[in-house]
Structure formats: structure tokens, C-alpha cells
Amino acid sequence: MRTRVRAWRRRGNPLLRRSDVVEAWTALLVAVLLLVGAPLTGAVVGRWAHQEATATAAEQRAERHRVRAEVIGRPPDALPTASGGRADSYRVDVRWTEPGQGTRTAVARVPAGTRHGDVVEVWFDARGRSVGPPADGTAVWQHTLSLGVSAAGCTAGVVLLGHAVVRRVAMRHRLEEWDREWARTGPEWSGRSA
């Protein structure tokens, strides 16, 4: 009932400007876009990201293989440090035995703290290069959620930025309309001529 009364009052309101109507419709559109459009965009982008990440993880699992290898090299004297100031991993010689191919050696990345003689799990690609493990389900979901949330946030940001621009333009038009009206009616109220 109240919305009917408000809408009815606005129709005959002599102070209602075209910019007020544009701003009211824009606010309604912004609410719909924020409540429906942004989450829908996030869901669509998240679904796409999940499909892509799942396909990439499947490719990685198909081309990479894991071996249990013995560290035969010595760790470097000065370990490389990551951005946090601690060593995450380093490259060292490892040895393992493959059925039908005998003993093999290669340089592989091993976790920090690994010593000579330790047995570690390392991953190699089809060309025999040391690579990281394939993406697991957790990595796929992290990728999915980060892209989905980012897309929803960016959509909301664009909508809010557009709303701010529309409000600013509407305010400028409103002030211009008020200036024109005052120039016309001001002399009647103040007793001065324009």
C-alpha cells in the first residue's frame, strides 16, 4: 500500500525532475545487477574456470609420472630463499630404478631440508624433466573459487562505478534544471528583476 501511495505522489509532484526519474530507475537496475548479475557472472566464470582447471589437471596427470628416488647429490651450501625468507625447495641429483630400464639419475627439485640418502617422491614429465606434481582437487577448487569471486567482485565494481557516474550526471542535470527554474521564478519571490 505504501509503495502505491509513494508512486502516486511522485506522479503529480511538481518538484520531480527527469533526472530524479532516471536516478530512481538506475538505482533499481543497480540493485538487480548487484543481487542477480554479479553472482551469476561469478558462477558462470567459476564454472568455466573449473572445467579448464579440471582439463589441465587431467592432462598433467596423463603426462607426468611420480617416482620414489634417493637423493644422491649434496644440498647446496646456500639454499635459495623464497619471498618469505625461507627455502621451499632446491635442485639436487636423484637416482631411482625403473622396471625394464634400469637405474636412472636426473636433477630434480626436492623439498628444503632433504639430505643425502633421503628417499623423496619427485615428478617427471614425458621428456624426463623434473616438474611439480599435477594439480589436485584442492588446487582446482582454489582456482575455481578465486576466479569466480574475482569475476563477481569486478562485476559489482563496474556496476557501482557506472551507478556513481549516472548519479553524478543526474546531479549535474538536476542542478542545471533548478538553476533554470530559479532564474524564472526567483525574481517573483525576491522582488528583484533578472
Side-chain angles (χ1 to χ4, degrees), residues 152-164:
C154 287
T155 301
V158 168
V159 167
L160 291 174
L161 180 65
H163 181 60

Side-chain angles (χ1 to χ4, degrees), residues 66-166:
R66 176 178 55 187
V67 297
R68 291 185 53 81
E70 178 185 357
V71 176
I72 59 173
R74 299 270 178 218
D77 294 332
L79 296 177
T81 57
S83 60
R86 61 179 179 82
D88 289 331
S89 62
Y90 59 90
R91 292 188 169 279
V92 68
D93 290 329
V94 295
R95 176 179 54 211
W96 72 98
T97 303
E98 283 192 18
Q101 293 185 354
T103 302
R104 297 188 59 191
T105 60
V107 176
R109 188 166 290 281
V110 297
T114 304
R115 295 183 302 247
H116 179 77
D118 287 351
V119 176
V120 294
E121 289 186 349
V122 291
W123 289 85
F124 293 99
D125 64 6
R127 290 187 259 172
R129 293 180 303 186
S130 175
V131 293
D136 60 352
T138 303
V140 169
W141 279 107
Q142 286 174 342
H143 179 73
T144 300
L145 291 175
S146 64
L147 283 183
V149 169
S150 296
C154 287
T155 301
V158 168
V159 167
L160 291 174
L161 180 65
H163 181 60
V165 168
V166 168

